[in-house]
Amino acid sequence: MQIPDIIRQIPLNYYIWFSTALFCIGIIGVLTRRNAIIIFMSVELMLNSVNLLLAAFSSYKSDPSGQIFVFFIMAVAAAEVAVGLAIIVMIYRNIQTIDVGLLNKLKW
Amino acid sequence: MSLITLIPLLPLLGFLINGIGFRHVPKSLAGIISTGAALASFACVLSLFFGFDGKPQIVSVFDWITVGKLNISMSFLIDQLSLLMLLIITGVGSLIHIYSIGYMSHDEGFGKFFAFLNLFLFFMLLLVMGSNYVVMFIGWEGVGLCSYLLIGFWNKNNNYGNAARKAFIMNRIGDLGFLLGIFLIITHFGSVEYADVLERVTDGGYASGDKTLFYITILLFVGAMGKSAQIPLYTWLPDAMAGPTPVSALIHAATMVTAGIYMIIRSNFMYSLAPDTLHIVAWVGTATAILAASIGLFQNDIKKVLAYSTVSQLGYMFMGLGVMAYSSSFFHVMTHAFFKALLFLGAGSVIHAMSDEQDIRKMGGLRKALPITFITFLIATIAISGIPPFAGFFSKDEILAHVFEHDKVMWGFAVFGSMMTSFYMFRLLFLTFFGEFRGTHEQEHHLHESPITMTAPLMILAVLSAAGGFFNLPHIFGGHASLAEFMAPLFAHSNVEHAAVDESLEKTLMIVSVIAALVSAGLAYVIYVGKKTIPVADEQVSGFQKVVYNKYYIDELYDKVFVKPITALSNFFSSVFEFLVIDLIVEGIGKLVKALSAEARLLQNGTTGYYIFAMVLSIAIIIIYSLKSFILG
């Protein structure tokens, strides 16, 4: 099947570089920040970079299954946000902060 | 359930009731249950025997082991040989059960004793009824266990416990040989069923003197040596006299010790093709017969004399097997079961009357106090000495005649041995029942004839000892050798030479051995009744007699050569090897793991960022690794 011109105007490589950049930003966010909500947002960023890449490949290959994956990931991410935020709220209630650096009791 | 499976099952049931219910089943009932089980088995055997049509019958109870092509089933074989063995075991066994009710009546372990006796009967029946070598082996091990339990029955005495252990360990040496023999049979014939092995051997075209058969038979014979107390594994049997006397009569005279002979007769088709083994069997038997008889000459313990006599008589049976006189050997097994059981039970009656005194130097003149015991003991003595027309005469002379045909020198030894037999038996008889009483006053006061439960079996056995020879009356006395004829189908495949011994020669041989027996009996009379000689106390024995009295120091020799070095070796291992090698390795591994984990656990420091960093790093490494070719080009 022919790929529409409007999509071909932007080459696939651009999408790959863009997604990689987003993903790396997400990783750096997760690694460097100590605020649980920021870490959470960074994780979402990584998920969405993957979503973008999947959608791009799907369009360029004219195969809808990639986009179906994206829907699934979105649904799972939404559920994950609900649970994750609830956990963060509980952490805050217990120790009055959401700095993950202080959560270091679980060790030998 | 058929009659055949019922035979071993009844004693097992008796064992379970008396064993589990020990101290709960009342004494009077325990004896009745066990004896009833034995008698019921005997009744089953009798009905089988009279309904026997000459065709072997196999009853399969269940398939036991099936591995690849090898199939071992728990099945019973009823043929001429097992029927005769069954008759002896259950018949003599029942009598000894009845006897034990009287003999053990004052013992606190009464119920336990009967439980063990029944267990023994069960295993012994399994041994002779099994239709393959493995079932025989189970029985073989089982009777060994019961022998151990019953020798050490009075387990508060350390010496008795040691005797039990000695018997068990010496039997294990033999059992190893037997087991290896079974393995060889499995590898070569692919089956352990007697019928299959027989078929493979006859169809396999094995020549006489085949190497395989030689190894199999010699290994089986090692097993027989242990169980039937032949040189060099005989020293356990005299020590086994530590057990109660009925046990000595049942296990260590009439039944268990003849298991080796049963096994060789069962495998006769293999032995007949292994002349070298037969040669060894015959000479081991001869040596044992002579050695044990000579030790018996100077023993002063009534049961020890009988024990050495048993070893010696077993030697005669092996001598007979060695010259392929299988049915004669079996005939001797049978008559020996009668008269030796009788002798032991008689000895038990004497010991009972003497308040547990076993030293014949302290007896004497008992014939007035114990008339029934005396008469029956006399009959048994005449029977074992080989004086006609009692049982021992026929069976022993049959063996001697076959031995003469085979080897004149061996015959000479055998006659010499039977002279010694006659001497030590009459010596025992005269010292015990004739002359003046030499015990203490209390013992003399206590002397009494045993109760009817003890004398009745004595009388029955006395009749059998007197008349047992007529079961197989040889042709020269107008008999039909009916036992030999009955057993003939068993030896159909082993080319037993039926060259009838020349009748006049046979008569001459008989006369020679009877005269020999009578002369030594007369000698014993002159020494112990005429001159009233009493064996001297242990310390005064000197010279060669001392060597013989101490059993040629064989026990001491075994102790020095085998026991001490092995004890030293195990001591070495327990103190040095265990400490330096085993402990070092085991503890070393433990310490190493502990040291490593002490370092490794620091990695788990609780910081979330650190974990995430480790995760990202690991994922990166995995990605790089899997895209290695892509990245490196």
Side-chain angles (χ1 to χ4, degrees):
Chain A
M1 204 170 113
Q2 197 67 36
I3 301 162
D5 284 343
I6 188 118
I7 291 175
R8 274 206 295 178
Q9 280 172 356
I10 306 170
L12 183 59
N13 266 0
Y14 286 24
Y15 287 104
I16 295 176
W17 283 116
F18 178 58
S19 295
T20 312
L22 268 183
F23 192 80
C24 287
I25 291 166
I27 287 181
I28 290 166
V30 168
L31 286 180
T32 54
R33 302 308 291 262
R34 298 172 66 179
N35 187 324
I37 293 186
I38 306 282
I39 289 176
F40 210 59
M41 282 163 58
S42 305
V43 171
E44 290 303 312
L45 205 57
M46 287 158 73
L47 278 172
N48 282 314
S49 75
V50 174
N51 280 349
L52 181 63
L53 198 57
L54 273 171
F57 279 133
S58 161
S59 298
Y60 276 80
K61 288 201 73 183
S62 303
D63 180 357
S65 55
Q67 295 181 36
I68 293 176
F69 260 114
V70 171
F71 278 118
F72 271 102
I73 292 173
M74 280 175 166
V76 171
E80 179 223 322
V81 167
V83 176
L85 283 177
I87 291 173
I88 291 171
V89 169
M90 286 310 295
I91 291 174
Y92 184 77
R93 280 193 187 165
N94 275 299
I95 59 174
Q96 272 71 48
T97 170
I98 45 171
D99 185 346
V100 293
L102 296 176
L103 293 171
N104 63 354
K105 296 283 185 301
L106 197 63
K107 60 182 177 183
W108 41 267
Chain B
M1 190 178 298
S2 80
L3 217 52
I4 296 174
T5 37
L6 214 55
I7 297 173
L9 218 56
L10 285 167
L12 181 66
L13 213 62
F15 159 69
L16 290 177
I17 295 173
N18 276 340
I20 295 170
F22 178 50
R23 284 190 228 281
H24 302 296
V25 179
K27 235 177 175 183
S28 50
L29 196 62
I32 292 173
I33 290 172
S34 287
T35 313
L39 280 171
S41 273
F42 183 51
C44 294
V45 174
L46 272 184
S47 82
L48 266 185
F49 181 74
F50 288 113
F52 185 64
D53 57 358
K55 286 194 202 74
Q57 196 183 342
I58 292 182
V59 178
S60 187
V61 184
F62 56 89
D63 272 347
W64 182 30
I65 300 175
T66 306
V67 184
K69 283 181 191 159
L70 181 70
N71 181 29
I72 300 169
S73 64
M74 177 63 81
S75 50
F76 298 141
L77 167 69
I78 295 295
D79 67 351
Q80 287 87 349
L81 181 58
S82 49
L83 265 179
L84 289 170
M85 280 304 277
L86 287 176
L87 279 177
I88 296 175
I89 294 162
T90 53
V92 176
S94 302
L95 288 176
I96 291 170
H97 271 78
I98 297 171
Y99 179 91
S100 307
I101 295 178
Y103 189 81
M104 299 299 286
S105 56
H106 304 306
D107 200 282
E108 35 176 304
F110 190 78
K112 184 171 76 165
F113 181 78
F114 275 97
F116 287 165
L117 270 194
N118 266 3
L119 185 67
F120 168 77
L121 268 193
F122 165 70
F123 279 121
M124 193 67 209
L125 292 170
L126 214 58
L127 194 161
V128 298
M129 285 176 73
S131 78
N132 57 49
Y133 284 99
V134 178
V135 177
M136 193 206 276
F137 187 71
I138 302 171
W140 193 271
E141 293 295 315
V143 292
L145 166 74
C146 295
S147 162
Y148 166 80
L149 290 173
L150 285 164
I151 294 170
F153 181 73
W154 286 310
N155 47 21
K156 287 184 184 144
N157 184 325
N158 249 350
N159 286 338
Y160 294 178
N162 288 341
R165 270 162 53 193
K166 184 174 176 183
F168 197 70
I169 292 168
M170 284 204 127
N171 267 302
R172 310 250 19 107
I173 301 171
D175 293 346
L176 180 67
F178 187 17
L179 199 60
L180 291 177
I182 295 177
F183 291 158
L184 259 188
I185 288 174
I186 292 176
T187 36
H188 281 282
F189 302 122
S191 172
V192 284
E193 291 287 325
Y194 305 136
D196 293 346
V197 177
L198 172 63
E199 198 181 306
R200 310 269 150 89
V201 171
T202 44
D203 294 353
Y206 286 96
S208 178
D210 187 84
K211 270 270 172 292
T212 315
L213 288 178
F214 172 71
Y215 289 128
I216 292 178
T217 49
I218 204 83
L219 283 171
L220 291 182
F221 179 54
V222 171
M225 267 179 195
K227 198 57 84 197
S228 296
Q230 295 297 295
I231 291 174
L233 301 177
Y234 72 95
T235 55
W236 67 269
L237 187 56
D239 285 16
M241 295 303 128
T245 311
V247 171
S248 312
L250 178 62
I251 302 185
H252 304 119
T255 54
M256 185 188 86
V257 288
T258 59
I261 290 128
Y262 165 79
M263 185 240 274
I264 290 182
I265 295 181
R266 193 43 100 196
S267 326
N268 70 77
F269 51 89
M270 288 194 273
Y271 277 88
S272 299
L273 289 174
D276 293 340
T277 316
L278 284 178
H279 208 67
I280 294 170
V281 172
W283 278 106
V284 167
T286 314
T288 312
I290 299 280
L291 184 85
S294 69
I295 297 174
L297 290 178
F298 298 116
Q299 294 301 310
N300 290 327
D301 181 320
I302 185 166
K303 286 179 76 182
K304 281 272 159 72
V305 176
L306 294 177
Y308 280 107
S309 156
T310 306
V311 177
S312 163
Q313 295 301 312
L314 289 167
Y316 277 104
M317 296 171 205
F318 278 101
M319 210 189 281
L321 294 176
V323 299
M324 286 169 69
Y326 301 118
S327 65
S328 313
S329 270
F330 191 80
F331 185 30
H332 200 54
V333 168
M334 197 171 90
T335 54
H336 179 254
F338 297 150
F339 58 66
K340 188 52 67 63
L342 174 54
L343 284 170
F344 268 114
L345 296 185
S349 176
V350 169
I351 295 167
H352 194 69
M354 293 284 297
S355 323
D356 294 333
E357 177 61 65
Q358 301 196 4
D359 194 330
I360 50 176
R361 284 169 297 196
K362 304 216 173 89
M363 299 177 182
L366 296 182
R367 69 176 189 280
K368 288 170 218 111
L370 304 166
I372 301 175
T373 309
F374 167 65
I375 302 275
T376 51
F377 205 90
L378 176 70
I379 291 171
T381 305
I382 297 174
I384 193 177
S385 306
I387 294 169
F390 290 14
F393 164 74
F394 295 105
S395 55
K396 192 186 282 178
D397 274 293
E398 232 182 272
I399 292 179
L400 290 188
H402 285 282
V403 170
F404 185 78
E405 251 181 285
H406 186 79
D407 191 333
K408 312 272 183 294
V409 181
M410 199 187 283
W411 179 80
F413 280 123
V415 171
F416 180 57
S418 85
M419 275 179 77
M420 289 196 279
T421 308
S422 163
F423 183 82
Y424 66 67
M425 282 315 302
F426 275 101
R427 168 179 178 270
L428 183 65
L429 180 81
F430 293 144
L431 283 174
T432 312
F433 291 100
F434 287 75
E436 297 299 314
F437 187 73
R438 297 181 292 272
T440 60
H441 252 298
E442 291 101 70
Q443 283 173 336
E444 189 167 11
H445 187 68
H446 182 72
L447 281 182
H448 62 280
E449 180 59 284
S450 307
I452 182 74
T453 48
M454 287 168 71
T455 46
L458 288 180
M459 291 184 275
I460 297 171
L461 282 170
V463 171
L464 286 170
S465 304
F470 296 97
F471 289 132
N472 194 21
L473 198 62
H475 294 291
I476 51 167
F477 293 113
H480 298 288
S482 28
L483 182 77
E485 234 163 68
F486 181 68
M487 291 180 74
L490 293 169
F491 315 120
H493 298 280
S494 53
N495 313 317
V496 179
E497 293 155 40
H498 282 296
V501 188
D502 182 31
E503 286 203 358
S504 61
L505 178 66
E506 196 175 342
K507 267 181 195 152
T508 323
L509 293 179
M510 278 180 181
I511 291 166
V512 170
S513 61
V514 170
I515 288 175
L518 286 174
V519 164
S520 44
L523 192 66
Y525 185 81
V526 171
I527 296 177
Y528 295 105
V529 179
K531 291 189 188 163
K532 293 192 166 51
T533 318
I534 310 298
V536 290
D538 290 355
E539 308 84 52
Q540 293 163 0
V541 186
S542 60
F544 182 65
Q545 197 182 338
K546 189 176 176 189
V547 176
V548 179
Y549 183 67
N550 287 307
K551 310 152 209 163
Y552 298 103
Y553 297 103
I554 299 273
D555 275 327
E556 284 76 1
L557 183 75
Y558 282 176
D559 192 54
K560 285 247 159 39
V561 177
F562 298 108
V563 181
K564 286 268 162 60
I566 289 176
T567 318
L569 195 68
S570 21
N571 278 341
F572 167 76
F573 274 116
S574 84
S575 58
V576 179
F577 191 77
E578 170 85 13
F579 184 67
L580 284 184
V581 182
I582 311 260
D583 283 2
L584 217 62
I585 292 174
V586 174
E587 285 180 16
I589 289 174
K591 277 180 185 155
L592 187 73
V593 170
K594 223 171 146 186
L596 285 177
S597 61
E599 298 301 317
R601 76 195 175 122
L602 297 176
L603 290 173
Q604 190 185 2
N605 60 6
T607 322
T608 320
Y610 176 74
Y611 294 156
I612 298 173
F613 176 71
M615 189 181 84
V616 170
L617 194 70
S618 309
I619 292 173
I621 289 171
I622 292 170
I623 290 174
I624 291 169
Y625 183 76
S626 51
L627 297 178
K628 191 172 52 182
S629 58
F630 183 72
I631 294 167
L632 298 177

